[in-house]
Amino acid sequence: MKKALIICAAGMSSSLMAKKTTEFLKTKGHEIEIDAISAHEAGKAVEKGDFDLFLISPQTKMHYQKFKEAGDRAGKPVENIPPQAYVPIPMGIEKLANLVLEKVSN
């Protein structure tokens, strides 16, 4: 199973997006689990490379470069989530799922 991590300001909205997107991916036959964490706690997870993909929420994009450099050291991709893929409605969830599928080979 592949794993992706959404890095968010407080982890609230990202938890909802992670849950809904994981469910959506499962209905499409993909074994990808998405989790969420606050930017404050994310540094260690990125450094350790615990996930196959790290996703930076729109509200924490100012931290992208720091996480990108850590991801490069760990050999793991780090991507910004576009605002339109960070809305807990079907269209946003599908856009986030497509981003995850594009960046994580199954």
Side-chain angles (χ1 to χ4, degrees):
M1 177 178 286
K2 298 286 187 175
K3 298 187 316 180
L5 183 66
I6 298 173
I7 299 170
C8 179
M12 301 283 277
S13 56
S14 58
S15 293
L16 178 62
M17 289 301 297
K19 181 177 186 272
K20 289 185 171 282
T21 307
T22 297
E23 290 169 359
F24 176 84
L25 288 165
K26 281 190 186 347
T27 67
K28 301 293 183 189
H30 300 285
E31 288 295 315
I32 302 173
E33 187 174 293
I34 304 171
D35 204 349
I37 194 170
S38 71
H40 175 33
E41 302 172 299
K44 288 181 182 149
V46 179
E47 290 286 347
K48 291 183 352 187
D50 288 342
F51 292 79
D52 300 294
L53 172 65
F54 296 94
L55 299 161
I56 309 299
S57 70
Q59 64 268 45
T60 56
K61 66 183 179 185
M62 73 288 261
H63 300 297
Y64 171 77
Q65 194 57 42
K66 171 181 76 171
F67 289 127
K68 174 80 171 108
E69 290 168 7
D72 288 348
R73 287 191 297 274
K76 302 292 178 156
V78 175
E79 297 291 329
N80 276 315
I81 300 173
Q84 66 271 24
Y86 200 70
V87 186
I89 60 172
M91 183 186 74
I93 290 168
E94 187 170 353
K95 285 180 184 288
L96 182 56
N98 289 334
L99 173 64
V100 170
L101 289 171
E102 178 187 320
K103 301 299 177 183
V104 174
S105 57
N106 225 359

